[in-house]
Amino acid sequence: GLRTFPAFLAAITFALGGFVGRIPWPNMVDSAIWLPLQLLFLHRALRAGSLRRVLAFFAGAGMMLGLAILAGSLHVIVMQGLALAGFVAYRAWSRRGLLIFAALCLMAAGVGAVQLLPSMEYSPRALRYLGATALPATEKIPYEDLHENLTPLSFMAFFVGLPYAGASIGTGECGPYLGILPILLAMMGAWRHRHSPWVRYLVVLAVLSFYFTWGGYSLLHGILYAVVPYLWMAREAGRVIYLTHFSLALLAGFGAQSLLHRQRDAAALAHFIRVLGRITAGLAAVMAFQALFGKPEPSQWASLAFVQILCAYGILQAITMGWRGSATRFVIAAVILVDLSNVNWLATNYRAEQQKGLNHMQFLLQAAPMAHFLLSRPGLFRVHFEADWTPDIGDGYGIQTTLGKSATELLAYSDFLVHQPNAGDLLNVRYIIRPRSAPQEGYVYQDASWRVYENPTSKPRAWMMNGDAEIHWTTYTYGRQELRVRAAAPGTLVLSEIDYPGWRATVNGEAASIRRIDGLLRGIEVPAGESQVEFRYLPLSILAGAAITLLSFLVAAGGLLLVRRPRIVVSG
């Protein structure tokens, strides 16, 4: 129901402000961008008169939710599911509406199957970390361990980027601020379009989602956490501000529509501007008093908010004078973008991060000489860091390490590290890396930051558990490993590689069973003499998931083509 410019204004507010504009995780942004299209197609599916159009639009909605799943952010998907379910409950609580929603979810699961099936295979075998503690990934997080929420104080952050002199209002990932002019336009849109079902839904969604962000301060959060299945997987309540921002951005579009395209709203606009003018005058008096007497303590963020309110007041006055053309629209967009750029930033100050020791990119680049030394060493091996903070040389330089940068970990691997006394040796850890300040001597390499020590008791990447053998690697990739083994007697070949579902093995071309060694590693029986051993990673979860995803894309694309099919008229 929005015209071009109001829709554009809603789009830039949603995409460049609030949650989407500030969240630092790329996978969340990749998932978050699909909500407008999900709701658009769902809305059209619920309103469609023919079965052909219902199928077309629900296929589109399912594809858009599936694309969010493929981006990999489960938290955003849970929030989108809540928004879509709420929309169906509000607009179409009927058997037809529920069937369309169920079909949508099924289509989305099909499109995202290549992501979902391996995740479902992995989760029961994994730990998730909550700070310094860990618990099984499929176990519901205790309510008392949920801390990433906003507080009731955060309400003022809709109007001031950092209120209360920068005091904490909860999670630091994203706050309520969406820009002064968008908030004022959202108020106007909610007021002037209050009879629109869309607007009512958006207002309810904005209010409830913001109340949910308070976490333990919110009764709604406690009730939903208790009754909604798997809501605990999206444990950070503060991130639900995403739904608040989405609603307010669209309401801002409706507000802009009233101002620019509905002449009959002129009287209401005049009343709104009079109220805003009084607020602006009051704030100006406060700012003048601060400037003259220095009391109360002036705040740069409060001053910035006043400037933005003054700009918004000027724009609204110009509109009442009949200025609704291209120049006014350009100024509206420019003011919003300038406002959002003051709060929603991702870049950090290079020197400030340097002084705090948090310049992780430089930390990684400084490890380059050490990484190049390790890369010059022959054969297959792993390295282990003994340091409080480590550069990610695994992803950065392709060096295999014992620990990565992940929020989860295989339960079997965690148990192995804890309970196996010579875990490092069995994991083929040839080198141990410590900070330059480490007191141990005997290092084989050092630079300004690191010392590298060789581990003389390290096992090779593959060995015979109960006999002598000559072992030569012919192929080593992450999905395929081939060895030539010459054994004096039959025995068990052990690979210093994690046993995980999906690995298949052959010995001299014949299928062979893999058994788990020491609770983690891969082992296989080989005969005496020379053998060709091959391991290949062919997980059913990924193969089946990829096939289902491809098929679902084809079905969804075919459904969307239905709505574009031209009508054929036969004359006789």
Side-chain angles (χ1 to χ4, degrees), residues 535-548:
F535 291 85
R536 297 193 68 184
Y537 185 54
L538 298 170
L540 181 62
S541 60
I542 292 180
L543 297 177
I548 295 172

Side-chain angles (χ1 to χ4, degrees), residues 222-560:
I223 293 174
L224 292 183
Y225 196 78
V227 301
V228 176
Y230 301 107
L231 185 59
W232 53 270
M233 290 187 176
R235 66 181 187 270
E236 294 90 347
R239 289 177 178 171
V240 181
I241 197 71
Y242 163 66
L243 298 181
T244 311
H245 287 156
F246 170 74
S247 304
L248 292 175
L250 273 176
L251 289 172
F254 279 99
Q257 182 126 310
S258 286
L259 296 176
L260 299 174
H261 299 289
R262 294 178 54 161
Q263 299 294 333
R264 65 179 182 273
D265 285 350
L269 174 60
H271 178 69
F272 185 83
I273 290 177
R274 282 196 298 272
V275 174
L276 181 61
R278 291 167 187 156
I279 294 174
T280 306
L283 291 175
V286 172
M287 302 299 291
F289 186 87
Q290 283 184 317
L292 290 173
F293 302 102
K295 294 180 180 180
E297 186 72 22
S299 164
Q300 298 295 345
W301 289 104
S303 301
L304 187 60
F306 171 72
V307 171
Q308 291 297 333
I309 291 174
L310 194 61
C311 291
Y313 177 70
I315 289 172
L316 296 179
Q317 278 285 21
I319 292 174
T320 61
M321 298 168 61
W323 294 8
R324 292 183 170 86
S326 300
T328 301
R329 299 179 187 199
F330 175 83
V331 171
I332 291 173
V335 166
I336 291 175
L337 292 176
V338 169
D339 190 6
L340 294 178
S341 70
N342 290 324
V343 176
N344 296 332
W345 63 84
L346 291 178
T348 53
N349 184 282
Y350 178 86
R351 292 183 179 177
E353 296 299 291
Q354 186 88 354
Q355 292 171 356
K356 292 185 292 186
L358 296 178
N359 190 331
H360 302 307
M361 177 58 73
Q362 186 187 45
F363 200 38
L364 179 63
L365 295 177
Q366 286 176 342
M370 177 260 289
H372 292 151
F373 166 78
L374 294 170
L375 290 170
S376 70
R377 302 296 91 189
L380 292 169
F381 60 85
R382 293 188 179 91
V383 302
H384 177 71
F385 276 94
E386 292 183 356
D388 293 334
W389 183 260
T390 61
D392 189 5
I393 62 174
D395 290 326
Y397 300 101
I399 297 170
Q400 295 187 23
T401 67
T402 57
L403 296 173
K405 301 290 185 182
S406 176
T408 63
E409 183 177 78
L410 274 176
L411 178 60
Y413 186 71
S414 177
D415 289 343
F416 182 83
L417 294 179
V418 172
H419 300 297
Q420 187 63 245
N422 59 337
D425 295 342
L426 295 175
L427 288 175
N428 185 218
V429 174
R430 189 190 301 176
Y431 298 102
I432 297 172
I433 304 173
R434 300 185 177 102
R436 172 65 182 266
S437 58
Q440 294 92 339
E441 296 297 328
Y443 49 84
V444 296
Y445 170 86
Q446 75 168 352
D447 57 27
S449 302
W450 303 103
R451 284 179 171 177
V452 178
Y453 300 80
E454 190 161 6
N455 176 20
T457 60
S458 169
K459 287 278 192 180
R461 187 55 64 92
W463 70 90
M464 288 294 291
M465 190 166 67
N466 48 3
D468 295 330
E470 294 180 16
I471 301 173
H472 300 280
W473 286 91
T474 56
T475 301
Y476 185 93
T477 66
Y478 291 111
R480 184 175 182 179
Q481 296 151 13
E482 297 179 0
L483 309 89
R484 191 170 63 251
V485 181
R486 180 175 295 170
T492 302
L493 175 69
V494 181
L495 268 64
S496 181
E497 299 285 344
I498 291 177
D499 179 37
Y500 190 79
W503 281 101
R504 308 285 186 266
T506 61
V507 177
N508 296 323
E510 298 291 331
S513 60
I514 299 173
R515 66 187 183 97
R516 183 166 291 192
I517 305 296
D518 291 324
L520 183 71
L521 306 179
R522 268 184 261 144
I524 190 171
E525 300 300 319
V526 296
E530 186 164 327
S531 301
Q532 187 71 24
V533 180
E534 180 181 3
F535 291 85
R536 297 193 68 184
Y537 185 54
L538 298 170
L540 181 62
S541 60
I542 292 180
L543 297 177
I548 295 172
T549 292
L550 178 59
L551 178 62
S552 300
F553 261 115
L554 294 176
V555 171
L560 286 173

